[in-house]
Amino acid sequence: MNMHDIAREAGVSTATVSRVINNPSIVEEATRERVLEVIAAHDYTPNALARGLLNNRTRSVGVLTVDILNPYYATVVHSIERSLSSQGNNILLCNTGGSQDEKARYIRTLLEKRVDGLVFVGSVYRERDGTQDILAAARSLPVIMINSIVKAENVYCVLCDDRRGIHIALDGLIRAGRKRLLFINTTSTSSARIKEQAFRERVSELSDERLDTAVLETSPEDLQELPGRIERLLEEKPFDAILATDDLFANVAVNCLHALHARIPEDVWVMGYNDSYLCDQTFPRLSSVDSRMEDLGRSAAEILSRLLAGSEVPDRIRYLEPRIVLKDSTGPL
């Protein structure tokens, strides 16, 4: 039993059956009841793809991210899925691993599946090389970038203001009397490079504060080597604060301080970035910069829903304000 069979038995067109299924309020009551009786008699469940072909919607959205095992990406994607699911949409999740080839392959696959929109999660997608396939996709469907900026028609961007996040964290540490600062970062993404630039700029502006700073660059792939590198730095210089651009790096720093019998926060303050679930799994619990992960996901879903409903979204680039979440690894700022 398919839609054509339902239409034939009810004595109506397939278009009328579609309207009864998708927009019953516009169908005359007697006709609607006749169609619904036939549907109920045959226990008919409309095929989602066929329904999409009729109304030009598949109610599916492609979501591409770098590594779903990463707490940041996992939290943002979860927020997107919850928001879109509540509106009757499904997501097709693609884990690109940061590979341009994988990204391009997934975009082709999602377009073939006729998704209603694409959402890219991660600042890696703002890189200058490799945005052509994103721009090509935007010519046929709306594209939402999370923590990335791609300036093009039909592309909408939602970001946390990471420059502001580093500034408020650093300013708070300095106001609290922290002068010997270790900054742990990775330069593997655009967001991380913005954070490091913001740190160096702010330190330069505050030169009269007599700060003693060091920058340790790492990456998620170098986590096995990171503890030894941090411990050597801590043995060379008595830092009184550590600011990391990821809660994962801050967690490693806390473990190193424990190994060196340093007290947190009595001797050294530690602050992470993102306010992920790792903050409550670290001892002591991590203070962190809240990068608004769940709000980023909800904002992306809200923008996409408005676009699919035919509404205008005037702000092509939307910044969310970061905030400090104080826990046990620092004193008050």
Side-chain angles (χ1 to χ4, degrees):
M1 177 68 67
N2 57 36
M3 190 177 291
H4 293 282
D5 298 325
I6 297 291
R8 184 173 57 253
E9 187 168 330
V12 298
S13 66
T14 54
T16 298
V17 176
S18 175
R19 283 192 287 271
V20 170
I21 294 170
N22 295 291
N23 199 357
S25 62
I26 67 173
V27 181
E28 185 178 312
E29 183 178 358
T31 302
R32 184 172 68 245
E33 289 181 355
R34 188 164 71 251
V35 172
L36 290 175
E37 286 176 2
V38 175
I39 289 175
H42 294 281
D43 195 23
Y44 171 69
T45 300
N47 180 276
L49 179 58
R51 188 166 61 235
L53 291 172
L54 286 169
N55 61 19
N56 204 30
R57 286 282 306 277
T58 61
R59 304 203 71 82
S60 60
V61 175
V63 177
L64 297 92
T65 191
V66 180
D67 181 4
I68 197 62
L69 292 176
N70 182 288
Y72 177 86
Y73 300 127
T75 302
V76 176
V77 169
H78 179 265
S79 178
I80 295 169
E81 192 277 332
R82 289 291 81 201
S83 298
L84 290 176
S85 176
S86 69
Q87 300 163 18
N89 297 292
N90 300 303
I91 73 166
L92 302 177
L93 177 61
C94 303
N95 206 61
T96 69
S99 163
Q100 296 286 2
D101 291 339
E102 281 291 279
K103 179 197 66 174
R105 181 177 70 83
Y106 275 127
I107 290 175
R108 289 194 299 270
T109 299
L110 292 168
L111 292 178
E112 289 170 2
K113 291 182 179 295
R114 301 184 71 252
V115 295
D116 296 330
L118 294 176
V119 182
F120 293 84
V121 182
S123 65
V124 66
Y125 298 116
R126 82 169 76 176
E127 305 298 339
R128 292 182 179 179
D129 298 330
T131 59
Q132 291 308 310
D133 44 13
I134 296 176
L135 299 178
R139 289 196 285 269
S140 59
L141 80 178
V143 171
I144 313 297
M145 311 297 297
I146 295 183
N147 223 25
S148 299
I149 293 181
V150 174
K151 294 182 180 179
E153 193 71 25
N154 215 25
V155 177
Y156 298 80
C157 309
V158 186
L159 309 91
C160 175
D161 189 346
D162 288 326
R163 186 180 301 277
R164 170 71 176 155
I166 293 298
H167 284 177
I168 60 175
L170 184 56
D171 290 352
L173 292 171
I174 293 171
R175 279 197 308 271
R178 306 287 117 174
K179 301 289 186 177
R180 302 184 303 277
L181 305 169
L182 173 60
F183 183 73
I184 304 176
N185 189 39
T186 172
T187 58
S188 60
T189 67
S190 295
S191 175
R193 291 193 287 273
I194 287 173
K195 292 172 185 173
E196 182 166 327
Q197 183 183 29
F199 177 83
R200 294 185 183 278
E201 288 174 350
R202 201 60 157 179
V203 168
S204 177
E205 293 168 358
L206 298 171
S207 57
D208 58 335
E209 296 282 350
R210 297 183 181 178
L211 302 177
D212 187 3
T213 65
V215 174
L216 174 59
E217 293 183 353
T218 185
S219 72
E221 293 77 24
D222 296 333
L223 282 180
Q224 289 185 335
E225 300 177 3
L226 184 57
R229 297 177 64 195
I230 293 176
E231 287 186 18
R232 285 192 292 272
L233 280 171
L234 293 174
E235 289 171 340
E236 293 171 3
K237 185 178 296 186
F239 293 103
D240 58 18
I242 297 175
L243 173 59
T245 59
D246 191 291
D247 294 330
L248 185 60
F249 301 153
N251 178 279
V252 174
V254 166
N255 291 336
C256 291
L257 289 166
H258 287 322
L260 295 172
H261 304 291
R263 298 173 302 165
I264 308 169
E266 291 85 354
D267 301 326
V268 185
W269 289 14
V270 182
M271 181 171 291
Y273 203 102
N274 287 330
D275 191 34
S276 68
Y277 62 78
L278 287 175
C279 293
D280 289 322
Q281 298 177 351
T282 302
F283 180 78
R285 297 183 310 147
L286 273 174
S287 296
S288 187
V289 179
D290 180 3
S291 59
R292 310 285 297 280
M293 295 180 290
E294 293 186 2
D295 291 333
L296 288 171
R298 282 191 287 265
S299 292
E302 178 259 325
I303 290 171
L304 182 58
S305 297
R306 288 177 60 187
L307 292 171
L308 294 177
S311 302
E312 288 190 11
V313 178
D315 47 337
R316 290 290 182 86
I317 300 176
R318 180 184 299 181
Y319 280 97
L320 303 187
E321 182 78 5
R323 52 201 177 199
I324 301 293
V325 178
L326 293 177
K327 295 185 179 176
D328 305 325
S329 64
T330 68
L333 299 182

